């Protein structure tokens, strides 16, 4: 076990010196435009020098409407963010540490105070924790959100990130589409009767990210195996989602 943990591995074109991965963790350190500052850069510089195999950034919002409730959250909704992220990725590259940008949209799991607009979702139902009543998305808006993920991924690549991770877990927007207990949309963005999940938006995001960034740019997906929203997600619906990702060849 110990030998395996400290053995290098290749994942989707990325070469890791070992199998220790720093998963995404909210770090703060950005201004109100999502531009990371010196404290953000210092934290990642320390991680890069730690000898870890790969680092995944904290939640980076793909649009201001997708901003979570956390203050000082970084994101790609400002042009000034590009040069700031580039300073961080240069340090990671010097240490030969693959750096993955986690991209997300909060959906209903935020509040107007954070986004400036009414939260959106696949339902009018409030999140039990966040309590803001969301507005249900229309199909044209949903397609634009897929484009926002692709644009953010292209910015991430330009800024020097080695890949992206799509946050489709923990009740954020991509997860809200997947869950039959939350997705109340009708039509193609609703729940598929055969699989019991709503995977179209996630599939569109993967496709558009690859169109924007090329097939050689690694795309990872973060997902949850279980959820508090009924009906049970594991194992049948979880297996259906795995099959979707397997078709898309993502990690």
């Amino acid at each position: 076990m110990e030998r395996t943990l400290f053995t290098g591995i290749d994942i989707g074109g990325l070469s890791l010196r070992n199998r220790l991965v720093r998963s995404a963790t909210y770090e703060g350190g950005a201004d109100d435009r999502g531009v990371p500052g010196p404290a953000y850069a210092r934290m990642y510089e320390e991680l890069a020098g730690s000898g870890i195999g790969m680092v995944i950034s904290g939640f980076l919002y793909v649009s201001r409407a997708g901003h979570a409730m956390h203050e000082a959250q970084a994101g790609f909704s400002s042009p000034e963010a590009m040069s700031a992220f580039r300073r961080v990725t240069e340090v990671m590259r010097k240490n030969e540490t693959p750096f993955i940008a986690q991209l997300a949209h909060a959906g209903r799991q935020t509040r107007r105070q954070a986004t400036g607009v009414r939260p959106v979702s696949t339902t009018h139902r409030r999140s039990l924790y966040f309590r803001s009543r969301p507005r249900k998305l229309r199909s044209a808006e949903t397609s634009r959100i897929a484009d926002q993920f692709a644009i953010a991924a292209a910015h991430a690549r330009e800024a020097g990130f080695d890949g992206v991770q799509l946050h489709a877990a923990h009740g954020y927007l991509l997860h809200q589409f997947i869950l039959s207990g939350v997705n109340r949309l009708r039509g193609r963005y609703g729940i598929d009767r055969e699989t019991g999940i709503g995977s179209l938006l996630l599939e569109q995001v993967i496709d558009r990210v690859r169109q924007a960034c090329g097939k050689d740019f690694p795309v990872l997906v973060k997902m949850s195996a279980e959820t508090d929203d009924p009906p049970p997600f594991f194992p049948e619906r979880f297996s259906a989602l795995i099959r979707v990702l397997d078709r898309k060849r993502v990690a």
Side-chain angles (χ1 to χ4, degrees):
M1 174 67 177
E2 185 175 344
R3 283 200 200 99
T4 301
L5 187 61
F6 293 99
T7 300
I9 188 173
D10 292 338
I11 301 177
L14 297 174
S15 294
L16 281 62
R17 62 169 66 92
N18 57 56
R19 304 182 191 204
L20 293 170
V21 177
R22 184 269 197 180
S23 189
T25 304
Y26 169 68
E27 62 278 284
D31 64 19
D32 58 5
R33 301 165 299 163
V35 179
Y40 186 101
R42 284 195 300 272
M43 189 198 72
Y44 281 107
E45 185 173 7
E46 289 179 10
L47 282 168
S50 70
I52 199 164
M54 183 168 74
V55 173
I56 301 174
S57 78
F59 177 134
L60 301 171
Y61 55 84
V62 299
S63 71
R64 188 68 196 184
H67 194 297
M69 280 177 51
H70 309 299
E71 293 182 359
Q73 183 183 10
F76 280 112
S77 66
S78 169
E80 291 82 5
M82 295 292 293
S83 58
F85 279 120
R86 197 171 288 114
R87 286 193 290 272
V88 180
T89 60
E90 285 173 357
V91 171
M92 305 296 282
R93 189 152 290 173
K94 285 178 182 177
N95 284 273
E96 299 181 346
T97 305
F99 192 24
I100 305 297
Q102 186 190 82
L103 305 180
H105 189 300
R108 69 174 182 168
Q109 292 194 166
T110 188
R111 292 178 181 151
R112 186 189 290 267
Q113 295 94 312
T115 64
V117 296
R118 184 178 175 184
V120 295
S121 183
T122 56
T123 178
H124 290 304
R125 289 173 52 205
R126 293 182 175 93
S127 162
L128 293 176
Y129 179 79
F130 295 88
R131 303 304 300 163
S132 294
R133 185 178 293 280
R135 179 177 60 78
K136 192 184 288 188
L137 282 162
R138 296 181 290 272
S139 291
E141 292 178 291
T142 302
S143 182
R144 285 197 294 273
I145 288 172
D147 289 336
Q148 289 169 352
F149 272 92
I151 292 168
H155 288 333
R157 179 163 195 168
E158 186 180 343
F161 284 93
D162 298 296
V164 294
Q165 183 188 66
L166 308 176
H167 199 332
H170 302 169
Y172 288 118
L173 186 62
L174 294 180
H175 200 200
Q176 291 163 33
F177 275 84
I178 291 166
L179 298 176
S180 59
V182 180
N183 189 338
R184 293 291 184 264
L185 298 176
R186 295 182 179 181
R188 61 197 193 115
Y189 286 110
I191 298 298
D192 184 271
R193 291 183 179 179
E194 291 186 14
T195 63
I197 62 174
S199 64
L200 179 59
L201 177 58
L202 177 58
E203 293 183 64
Q204 287 183 335
V205 169
I206 293 168
D207 290 342
R208 293 183 193 183
V209 167
R210 286 189 168 141
Q211 289 169 8
C213 299
K215 293 183 179 180
D216 62 328
F217 192 61
V219 178
L220 291 72
V221 176
K222 182 173 185 173
M223 56 187 179
S224 297
E226 197 49 275
T227 173
D228 293 334
D229 291 283
F233 191 71
F234 186 86
E236 286 81 8
R237 288 172 174 81
F238 182 73
S239 298
L241 181 56
I242 290 291
R243 289 193 291 272
V244 168
L245 298 180
D246 185 52
R247 290 199 306 272
K248 293 295 179 181
R249 297 187 180 277
V250 299

